[in-house]
Amino acid sequence: MTARQPPPRPESGANPPPLLSARNLERIYRLGQQTIHALRPLDLDIHKGDFIAIAGPSGSGKSTLLQLLGLVDSPTAGEVRVRNRPAQHLGREQRAALRLGTLGFVFQAFNLLQMLTARQNVEIALALAGFPRRKRRKRAEQLLADVGLAERMQHRPLQLSGGERQRVAIARALANEPDVILADEPTGNLDSQTGREIVQLLEDLNRAGQTIVMVTHNLEIARRAGRLFLMRDGHIDEVEPGNAAALD
Ligand SMILES: Nc1ncnc2c1ncn2[C@@H]1O[C@H](COP(=O)(O)OP(=O)(O)O)[C@@H](O)[C@H]1O
Ligand SMILES: [Mg+2]
């Protein structure tokens, strides 16, 4: 026994709170005279171990929802809660700290730093997450090995294929051991075979316990998720992943 170990969590009894939840979450954009209801008031609970896909046509509010859940954007009304704690009243810096401690992001365009190697891209995330310098290299190498890039650590993004770049981005997203990974169209820039491999990687991470929320255009991918939500005009509905009819 060491003093550092957290107390054991009760395995049964009271349900643990959702890792991330939305309550009456609404987002209206105002552009000049125009009012855009990007998100109609919606509720959503994301629990540990979930693999959630959010599908829907372009402009239906998927990215808006992800940015709100990711504490990057602020809602017009309603709130996001992290383990039942409202995040809305927090100041900018507190919100950034909560984001850093809780969430990992994966983007369609990878968003890697072009001048840095794969390993350095991950090391930067480890530095931001507060890992001591002497531990960063080893952990970056481990994370890259975990996503299948043991042989590509010294490559810069331009020396990597699209699928490999997205693997680096996933390793980076894992750096802070996030409660939830939020992925916005992670296969959007990839050919279908490479896209399937990236989803396979996300599924493997999910099987190992990682909670994932993934926005996707791809219905074949969406149907494989544990929970599936469809968005339309800012509304969201949960449907059976196997229920193909709901998607056509
Ligand atoms: N920053 C913004 N300012 C104004 N309108 C926006 C902004 N971001 C998104 N929108 C609008 O909100 C709606 C939802 O957009 P978005 O969440 O990006 O949809 P999706 O990701 O499903 O394609 C769209 O009508 C879009 O044009
Ligand atoms: Mg989008």
Side-chain angles (χ1 to χ4, degrees):
M1 275 295 202
T2 68
R4 280 196 190 170
Q5 275 178 334
R9 291 226 197 103
E11 293 297 330
S12 56
N15 290 333
L19 294 180
L20 210 53
S21 47
R23 287 292 175 274
N24 291 313
L25 195 66
E26 182 176 15
R27 182 66 165 102
I28 299 172
Y29 294 112
R30 293 182 210 282
L31 275 183
Q33 300 296 315
Q34 228 188 344
T35 301
I36 301 161
H37 290 263
L39 220 58
R40 307 281 175 173
L42 62 79
D43 290 341
L44 180 63
D45 284 332
I46 296 159
H47 292 279
K48 178 153 183 53
D50 276 349
F51 193 145
I52 290 178
I54 301 174
S58 183
S60 59
K62 306 183 297 296
S63 293
T64 298
L65 174 57
L66 227 57
Q67 282 162 22
L68 290 170
L69 290 173
L71 310 177
V72 179
D73 184 25
S74 295
T76 306
E79 63 183 14
V80 170
R81 295 180 191 166
V82 178
R83 294 182 190 263
N84 254 347
R85 293 214 189 99
Q88 246 51 73
H89 65 280
L90 298 176
R92 207 184 153 83
E93 280 177 25
Q94 281 175 305
R95 217 145 38 110
L98 183 58
R99 192 162 62 227
L100 202 57
T102 314
L103 303 169
F105 294 88
V106 177
F107 305 94
Q108 175 171 353
F110 320 127
N111 297 12
L112 299 173
L113 295 169
Q114 304 295 332
M115 299 303 289
L116 302 184
T117 65
R119 198 184 67 207
Q120 289 167 334
N121 266 281
V122 178
E123 282 176 350
I124 287 223
L126 289 165
L128 288 172
F131 278 78
R133 184 182 295 275
R134 64 196 156 74
K135 291 195 174 163
R136 284 179 212 154
R137 174 173 294 205
K138 208 156 177 227
R139 179 155 164 79
E141 288 175 355
Q142 183 61 53
L143 286 164
L144 286 164
D146 289 348
V147 299
L149 291 181
E151 310 299 320
R152 295 285 186 277
M153 313 238 182
Q154 305 292 2
H155 290 234
R156 287 179 173 43
L158 289 174
Q159 300 165 327
L160 295 168
S161 70
E164 288 169 341
R165 287 179 209 178
Q166 197 59 299
R167 285 173 192 273
V168 177
I170 290 169
R172 178 184 58 186
L174 292 166
N176 60 347
E177 300 174 330
D179 285 350
V180 183
I181 284 191
L182 300 170
D184 196 348
E185 311 248 15
T187 65
N189 280 10
L190 304 174
D191 65 78
S192 54
Q193 173 56 30
T194 308
R196 269 193 289 275
E197 288 165 13
I198 289 299
V199 172
Q200 181 70 54
L201 171 61
L202 294 173
E203 286 172 351
D204 291 346
L205 292 170
N206 176 250
R207 259 192 295 280
Q210 178 66 54
T211 309
I212 297 174
V213 180
M214 177 181 66
V215 162
T216 180
H217 253 82
N218 185 320
L219 298 183
E220 176 199 328
I221 288 171
R223 287 189 182 108
R224 284 167 59 169
R227 296 174 69 196
L228 173 56
F229 290 85
L230 292 185
M231 289 202 71
R232 196 170 298 270
D233 300 330
H235 294 281
I236 195 166
D237 282 310
E238 183 159 13
V239 298
E240 269 300 313
N243 183 357
L247 294 174
D248 299 327

